[in-house]
Amino acid sequence: MASTGNRQITDVDFLRRLFRAFRDQNDVAFRKVAESIITDQLAANQHGLAKELRSALGTSSNKSTHPSRRQLTALPRDRRSGEQLLTIYHEPASTEHLLLEDSTKRRIERFINERQNTAKLARHGYSPKSKLLFWGPPGCGKTLTAHYLANQFNLKVGVVRLSALVSSYLGDTASHLQQVFDTAMETPMVVLFDEIDTVAKSRDDTRDIGELKRVVNSFLQAMDTFASKESILIGASNHQYLLDPAIWRRFDDVVLFDKPSPVLRKKYIQQHLNGIPFKGSLDSLVKKTAGLSFAQIEQLLIESIKSMILEDRKQLTLPQISEELKYMRSMMAAMNRERAEPE
């Protein structure tokens, strides 16, 4: 069963959120926290107390029938500019053609299995995972998988807008972080911190003047108190080795999204060439795309197909795709050289 220390931390967190909702006169948030307290008591087999709390809380005529349909009372914003801190996708993106390596797929399926069997885990004193770190090269499915999880649990997706979150004003970034976490606690959603290293960079960076350490400390504190039973927190990074070591320990699981294997590249190419006449060896094309991400392969095929259309050709050929690929790789090499050059 859960330890006494963990129970005390949870109780204090409930009280903090309850008081904050009362202070802000946020009835929806107040009821949400109260419902969570009642659920927590039921999980602890305190049925009598849960019944008393339910009676004291009463009923509400505007209570939502499904957590995914609960409306946001207000989107968190920067207090100076009014810019929204979250972009909300009420209908997650289509993930019909999502492809994952077997090892990645197993971690995602395990996460889904835990969330679908919350009661079974609770009977033995455990909780399902709620915080995931996705890492790996860009364009390999991290963001699409976040939408996939939202689809599985009928949740909206909230993508953190880092341009608004990170402020040049002392203390504002920490305040923005807390607003985002409070929103995720009060409204069921998948909240995605893309490029999470922006706010979770190692505090050992010698070039930091002090604000970075404050931001990372605020992020760690917010993660420690994040205990939503419905929302899912996902951090995604292309530069995982820049992350502060303490950040890794705050996530329930770390999932690698590597560049696609030949098998997945072949499936992905077949999906995108569906209905497009192609002359050439598919296996040769798969071999030529070694080292590319899904996003790069998609860009390659789209550009090749558009050229075919504009040039009034009847079919796509391997040499034509190879020519486009040659240009793409030259651009990639140029960008890599630029990054490697000392400032």
Side-chain angles (χ1 to χ4, degrees), residues 28 89 109 123 132 161 206 238 243 276 301 319 323 342:
V28 174
Y89 296 86
E109 289 177 347
R123 286 196 294 270
L132 298 175
R161 304 183 65 195
T206 56
N238 308 328
L243 292 175
I276 303 295
L301 295 177
E323 188 65 26

Side-chain angles (χ1 to χ4, degrees), residues 97 99 261-278 280-283 285-286 289 294 297-298 301 305 316 321:
H97 299 302
L99 295 174
S261 64
V263 172
L264 287 194
R265 292 203 305 276
K266 187 172 184 177
K267 290 181 180 179
Y268 194 74
I269 291 171
Q270 286 173 326
Q271 286 179 0
H272 281 270
L273 290 182
N274 185 30
I276 303 295
F278 173 67
S281 168
L282 184 59
D283 289 334
L285 178 55
V286 169
T289 57
F294 288 127
I297 295 172
E298 180 181 34
L301 295 177
I305 293 169
L316 199 58
I321 299 177

Side-chain angles (χ1 to χ4, degrees), residues 99-111 134-135 253-259 261 264:
L99 295 174
L100 299 174
E101 298 290 353
D102 288 344
S103 58
T104 303
K105 186 186 298 184
R106 283 194 294 271
R107 301 314 302 171
I108 297 302
E109 289 177 347
R110 169 57 182 269
F111 178 83
F134 292 171
W135 68 274
D253 203 356
V254 179
V255 185
L256 169 62
F257 290 76
D258 211 346
K259 289 185 177 179
S261 64
L264 287 194

Side-chain angles (χ1 to χ4, degrees), residues 94-337:
S94 172
T95 57
E96 180 183 357
H97 299 302
L98 176 65
L99 295 174
L100 299 174
E101 298 290 353
D102 288 344
S103 58
T104 303
K105 186 186 298 184
R106 283 194 294 271
R107 301 314 302 171
I108 297 302
E109 289 177 347
R110 169 57 182 269
F111 178 83
I112 293 171
N113 188 22
E114 288 193 14
R115 303 282 295 192
Q116 291 175 338
N117 290 279
T118 299
K120 182 186 293 187
L121 291 174
R123 286 196 294 270
H124 297 275
Y126 294 98
S127 301
K129 297 181 179 73
S130 62
K131 295 173 282 191
L132 298 175
L133 175 61
F134 292 171
W135 68 274
C140 292
K142 298 188 291 294
T143 300
L144 194 58
T145 301
H147 283 265
Y148 173 75
L149 289 175
N151 284 328
Q152 294 300 304
F153 298 104
N154 199 22
L155 296 172
K156 56 178 69 71
V157 176
V159 178
V160 179
R161 304 183 65 195
L162 293 176
S163 61
L165 183 79
V166 179
S167 172
S168 59
Y169 291 96
L170 185 67
D172 276 13
T173 301
S175 174
H176 292 166
L177 279 168
Q178 192 59 57
Q179 287 185 60
V180 168
F181 275 88
D182 286 348
T183 301
M185 291 286 283
E186 294 163 5
T187 306
M189 68 171 65
V190 172
V191 57
L192 174 63
F193 280 84
D194 204 1
E195 300 182 9
I196 193 175
D197 39 274
T198 303
V199 291
K201 194 175 180 182
S202 174
R203 288 167 290 180
D204 294 332
D205 191 336
T206 56
R207 294 169 295 180
D208 174 47
I209 59 173
E211 178 66 359
L212 173 63
K213 291 182 176 63
R214 285 188 287 271
V215 170
V216 176
N217 287 335
S218 297
F219 191 82
L220 291 171
Q221 292 169 7
M223 288 195 69
D224 284 340
T225 58
F226 181 79
S228 173
K229 297 182 184 300
E230 295 166 323
S231 290
I232 299 169
L233 172 66
I234 297 177
S237 176
N238 308 328
H239 307 286
Q240 64 278 4
Y241 300 114
L242 295 179
L243 292 175
D244 192 275
I247 293 292
W248 293 77
R249 299 194 297 272
R250 262 60 178 193
F251 287 98
D252 300 321
D253 203 356
V254 179
V255 185
L256 169 62
F257 290 76
D258 211 346
K259 289 185 177 179
S261 64
V263 172
L264 287 194
R265 292 203 305 276
K266 187 172 184 177
K267 290 181 180 179
Y268 194 74
I269 291 171
Q270 286 173 326
Q271 286 179 0
H272 281 270
L273 290 182
N274 185 30
I276 303 295
F278 173 67
K279 181 180 180 181
S281 168
L282 184 59
D283 289 334
S284 295
L285 178 55
V286 169
K287 188 175 181 180
K288 284 178 176 291
T289 57
L292 298 186
S293 67
F294 288 127
Q296 290 168 330
I297 295 172
E298 180 181 34
Q299 180 186 357
L300 170 67
L301 295 177
I302 287 175
E303 290 301 314
S304 299
I305 293 169
K306 285 164 68 176
S307 294
M308 178 192 74
I309 294 170
L310 292 172
E311 296 168 11
D312 295 318
R313 290 186 270 108
K314 302 299 183 183
Q315 60 186 4
L316 199 58
T317 67
L318 183 58
Q320 291 157 356
I321 299 177
S322 299
E323 188 65 26
E324 189 67 43
L325 178 59
K326 181 180 178 181
Y327 174 78
M328 174 183 283
R329 289 198 184 278
S330 68
M331 291 297 99
M332 292 166 57
M335 288 188 290
N336 289 334
R337 283 196 302 271

Side-chain angles (χ1 to χ4, degrees), residues 64-113:
S64 175
T65 57
H66 194 282
S68 70
R69 301 303 173 196
R70 227 170 285 162
Q71 297 296 313
L72 286 165
T73 54
L75 282 174
R77 297 175 182 270
D78 175 75
R79 64 186 177 90
R80 301 178 193 274
S81 67
E83 189 175 358
Q84 292 181 359
L85 304 180
L86 283 170
T87 297
I88 301 295
Y89 296 86
H90 293 275
E91 298 296 333
S94 172
T95 57
E96 180 183 357
H97 299 302
L98 176 65
L99 295 174
L100 299 174
E101 298 290 353
D102 288 344
S103 58
T104 303
K105 186 186 298 184
R106 283 194 294 271
R107 301 314 302 171
I108 297 302
E109 289 177 347
R110 169 57 182 269
F111 178 83
I112 293 171
N113 188 22

